[in-house]
Amino acid sequence: MGPELEAFRAQVRAFVAEYAPAIPPRAGVRSAENEAELRALKEWTARLFEAGYVGADWPAESGGRYDRSAEHGIVVGEELARAAVPGVQSGSILA
């Protein structure tokens, strides 16, 4: 992995450390336990999107936020898994 991706990894890791909700992930489809948890999961997904980490590897013309490589998307997924935090919640960015 080159220095640019390592710098991106450090950026994602710092973001996750600062903003991740204190909600443990679960294997498989993740449903909220209650309204407060649902709100926290939606806010987390929106924060990931606003920071450019959701769709980081999608071109802007396809709905992505940045025109980054697939490796950037892999780094985001790896860092979310490493920190054991919930990933992106489907349908919660606009909900």
Side-chain angles (χ1 to χ4, degrees):
M1 184 173 296
E4 190 271 331
L5 276 178
E6 286 301 328
F8 181 73
R9 180 179 299 281
Q11 176 188 31
V12 173
R13 190 171 289 184
F15 179 88
V16 170
E18 184 171 350
Y19 296 111
I23 301 170
R26 288 191 217 134
V29 176
R30 174 73 160 91
S31 295
E33 296 287 321
N34 54 52
E35 284 296 318
E37 188 173 288
L38 178 61
R39 187 172 38 261
L41 290 169
K42 286 182 175 184
E43 289 170 2
W44 171 235
T45 298
R47 193 177 289 257
L48 286 167
F49 180 77
E50 289 165 5
Y53 299 133
V54 172
D57 57 337
W58 303 348
E61 28 322 320
S62 296
R65 296 291 301 230
Y66 298 97
D67 198 13
R68 293 184 173 149
S69 70
E71 287 84 7
H72 287 88
I74 291 168
V75 166
V76 171
E78 288 174 345
E79 288 304 312
L80 294 178
R82 184 198 64 75
V85 298
V88 173
Q89 303 302 302
S90 298
S92 62
I93 295 172
L94 302 176

